[in-house]
Amino acid sequence: GQQLNQSPQSMFIQEGEDVSMNCTSSSIFNTWLWYKQDPGEGPVLLIALYKAGELTSNGRLTAQFGITRKDSFLNISASIPSDVGIYFCAGRTQTHTAQKLVFGQGTRLTINP
Amino acid sequence: DAGVTQSPTHLIKTRGQQVTLRCSPKSGHDTVSWYQQALGQGPQFIFQYYEEEERQRGNFPDRFSGHQFPNYSSELNVNALLLGDSALYLCASSLIGAAIKNIQYFGAGTRLSVL
């Protein structure tokens, strides 16, 4: 099935370091979303981006919607242990009666205290 | 405010059997989507239901079917199970329409193991 290209696949960092991950697509999306998934849980929305070029923050998280509408990045500043998990980007296509999300493969974040 | 709830949490089946998974949407939501998440992968869109009809479908065979009830809850049915159907099945709910802020909220999923 269709997937976005998300990188890196995994990251091993020290607590307090900054993190950056990105996502690219061959298709244009009107909305980009970033989710975090913990073990045994479903994805939880972190940030939603609605306009090309938009830069949005949520606490220590910052994400941008690429100008071409084919890419997005997520930055996490000053990482803490609870940031551990798998981060997914998702592009959304939608009509008046339906919407669907196309996900990346995920970035697994591990933090050494 | 109850979020998206799914049942059961875990399920073990054998090849060739049939399975039904259930989902109750977040309060106020009218649309349910189903996703399959294989181990180490991102979720893959199966289909979406609104007004008790399938509105959009991903690249999944007809063995995967669904239903939405008048109270907006939904079922995912998989017939003739294959080993490759082993995955986490996620349900997401949202409000219909192209309103830009209509975000999908996910349940914790049902872990299906096919032996």
Side-chain angles (χ1 to χ4, degrees):
Chain A
Q2 183 184 8
Q3 274 195 330
L4 306 179
N5 297 313
Q6 187 173 348
S7 64
Q9 291 188 20
S10 60
M11 302 184 73
F12 298 85
I13 64 170
Q14 297 293 123
E15 184 176 350
E17 287 185 14
D18 296 344
V19 171
S20 184
M21 58 192 79
N22 67 76
C23 207
T24 61
S25 169
S26 57
S27 305
I28 288 174
F29 291 103
N30 290 320
T31 304
W32 281 86
L33 305 161
W34 285 91
Y35 286 87
K36 178 174 182 271
Q37 187 174 27
D38 293 327
E41 301 292 330
V44 174
L45 182 68
L46 299 174
I47 290 183
L49 301 157
Y50 301 107
K51 287 199 301 190
E54 178 181 355
L55 184 71
T56 296
S57 293
N58 178 10
R60 294 178 296 105
L61 278 60
T62 302
Q64 183 156 31
F65 190 151
I67 289 291
T68 64
R69 293 195 285 159
K70 292 183 177 181
D71 62 303
S72 177
F73 72 75
L74 174 70
N75 289 338
I76 305 173
S77 62
S79 58
I80 59 177
S82 62
D83 292 333
V84 166
I86 304 177
Y87 293 79
F88 290 99
C89 61
R92 184 174 73 178
T93 61
Q94 58 192 62
T95 66
H96 284 288
T97 56
Q99 63 166 289
K100 77 172 189 180
L101 301 179
V102 179
F103 283 84
Q105 306 98 314
T107 296
R108 181 181 294 274
L109 180 61
T110 302
I111 298 176
N112 299 316
Chain B
D1 178 21
V4 180
T5 58
Q6 293 186 241
S7 64
T9 54
H10 295 87
L11 206 49
I12 299 175
K13 292 285 188 179
T14 56
R15 279 182 299 173
Q17 285 189 312
Q18 178 263 345
V19 69
T20 297
L21 310 181
R22 296 177 175 81
C23 173
S24 292
K26 180 178 166 67
S27 178
H29 285 180
D30 56 10
T31 303
V32 172
S33 303
W34 287 92
Y35 293 80
Q36 180 195 65
Q37 186 176 22
L39 203 59
Q41 300 293 317
Q44 294 279 328
F45 176 74
I46 303 175
F47 42 53
Q48 183 178 68
Y49 275 82
Y50 168 65
E51 287 188 331
E52 303 177 47
E53 288 187 19
E54 182 183 296
R55 298 291 177 162
Q56 195 169 7
R57 190 178 182 92
N59 189 24
F60 280 80
D62 292 344
R63 298 186 297 108
F64 289 78
S65 64
H67 190 76
Q68 186 180 33
F69 300 93
N71 67 353
Y72 308 120
S73 67
S74 177
E75 289 181 350
L76 164 66
N77 300 295
V78 187
N79 294 323
L81 283 167
L82 304 174
L83 295 180
D85 294 332
S86 296
L88 180 67
Y89 287 85
L90 294 163
C91 170
S93 74
S94 59
L95 275 171
I96 199 61
I100 199 165
K101 303 280 183 181
N102 286 341
I103 298 298
Q104 294 189 13
Y105 291 85
F106 285 83
T110 294
R111 173 73 62 187
L112 173 65
S113 298
V114 182
L115 305 179

